[in-house]
Amino acid sequence: MANMSMKKNDMPLLAPEIRTKSFEEVALGYSEELARLEAERCLNCKNPPCVTGCPIGIEIPNFIDKIKVGKIDEAYKIISKSSSLPAVCGRVCPQETQCEAKCVRGIKGEAVAIGRLERYVADLHNALDEKKKIQITKNGKKVAVIGSGPSGLTAAGDLQKKGYQVTIFEALHVAGGVLVYGIPEFRLPKAIVEKEIENLKRIGVDIQTNVVIGKTLTIDELFEMGYNAVFIGSGAGLPRFMGIDGENLKQVYSANEFLTRNNLMKAYLPNSSTPILKSKTVAVVGGGNVAMDSARTALRLGAEHVYIVYRRSIEELPARKEEIEHAIEEGVEFKLLTNPVRILGYKNKDDKRDPKNGSVIGIECIKMELGEVDTSGRRSPVPIANSEFVIPVDAVIMAIGTSPNPLISSTTEGLEVNRRGGIIVESETGLTSREGVYAGGDAVTGAATVILAMGAGKTAAKAIDKYLS
């Protein structure tokens, strides 16, 4: 019998006073009882709209139906037909704007907690997995995948299952891309990412780290080595700045650098040799998930005051609702309708303010108001004359987006890119302007979500298979 509760079952969480003092995962996951109660809220629609909202087409009602009767292994098999990273997606995918946004239960109440159920299934499967090596019949063809982020891992998994010998070339010393360097431990434990990558290795995917395509090897050399096709999933690791005075001061970070030092290089550990400034008052410029991750990380590193500086109102914040809620619970302060105009600094404590050298002492901002709707569909922020003010801070983190690194496009003849450096592809296939070369994820779109990158990886894998067969 269906559970007709109008409200989804709450996710158990660490208390704010505990989680701000550690990097432990905040969301604790459903118990068996909570998972069954939530699964029973699913009506198992004959024509399920939730599936149309999933970028990778998971058979959502089918896997939830298995949870109802305790068949977790079967539920996992249904999910894994579409997803190579279910434990990751269950944690970081914005289900509220995708599959859950289409859920029938959401019309008069709250949608079924699809993401939480996916996480439950994946975690239980991984905890009980016997690590059996899976045998796949090879077809004799090789595919190179550049980058081990969500799009690369997805493309690699799908192609390996079809019989191709797939090699992933990763520039960093650890596989996982943005999953390991960009998303904090308290939101996505690295052991979860390692387990998902281990699952790919078990089906035969080869991962070569410390290989920078464009430096160590070129795409042309990959073809010379016998690879029949190439997928570019190199992400968008080039940080953007505002171009205001003071951005070269010592305590100004890009969110990319700040999070990489903490997440990948473990700067937060007491015995870490990775330097990171332990600031007391921090301004984070931006309003997306990366801004929330940066602000919450700064708190855990010991900052007493952390401000989100965002030029629109709270209704326009692009971060996930739950990430905003967690940030507020943890004490992050929001300076909304506020835009930076320069960062203030000094050379040493006895010097006057110097906007170009030395250390941060504040961020000068101007108040904003919302005007007409712009091309993004949101009301455009407009400065209010003579409303400048200073927020005293000793560090600034710029979290206003990233762009694709031009290294690959600049070393690959005939690879066309757009004005922002994104690789131009056919939307239906991921094919670039070079025959046999496909691309997807942030390398094409610029910074986006994990699940959209995975969807692009699946699209390209299907097209590559069609091309080579």
Side-chain angles (χ1 to χ4, degrees), residues 13-14 70 133 136 170 185 205 231 237 275 279 300 306 329 337 346 374 381 389 411 417 450:
L13 304 172
L14 279 180
K133 189 172 179 63
I136 295 173
E170 168 56 48
E185 184 81 11
V205 175
F231 174 75
S279 302
R300 286 160 171 77
V306 178
E329 290 171 359
L337 290 170
Y346 52 64
D374 62 17
F389 68 102
T411 57
V417 298
V450 168

Side-chain angles (χ1 to χ4, degrees), residues 313-453:
S313 71
I314 197 164
E315 287 78 15
E316 288 82 27
L317 277 169
R320 295 183 69 187
K321 181 182 176 183
E322 70 176 44
E323 301 306 325
I324 298 169
E325 291 173 349
H326 290 172
I328 293 171
E329 290 171 359
E330 293 169 10
V332 174
E333 301 170 55
F334 285 70
K335 299 288 187 181
L336 301 171
L337 290 170
T338 300
N339 203 40
V341 294
R342 64 173 175 151
I343 302 169
L344 306 173
Y346 52 64
K347 291 183 180 178
N348 58 58
K349 291 185 178 180
D350 298 321
D351 287 338
K352 294 181 180 180
R353 292 182 178 181
D354 184 338
K356 295 184 179 179
N357 299 289
S359 303
V360 170
I361 60 171
I363 182 167
E364 184 176 340
C365 301
I366 189 167
K367 293 181 183 291
M368 312 291 283
E369 60 185 354
L370 295 180
E372 298 299 320
V373 175
D374 62 17
T375 54
S376 72
R378 299 174 295 174
R379 292 175 65 192
S380 181
V382 179
I384 299 175
N386 303 316
S387 64
E388 291 85 356
F389 68 102
V390 174
I391 306 173
V393 297
D394 58 15
V396 176
I397 301 169
M398 305 301 286
I400 58 173
T402 55
S403 302
N405 192 305
L407 180 60
I408 291 176
S409 59
S410 64
T411 57
T412 307
E413 187 176 350
L415 191 65
E416 295 181 2
V417 298
N418 59 30
R419 61 184 181 83
R420 291 202 169 202
I423 299 170
I424 297 173
V425 300
E426 294 179 356
S427 59
E428 299 84 4
T429 64
L431 178 65
T432 71
S433 51
R434 280 282 304 267
E435 183 181 354
V437 179
Y438 297 75
D442 292 0
V444 172
T445 61
T449 63
V450 168
I451 193 68
L452 289 176

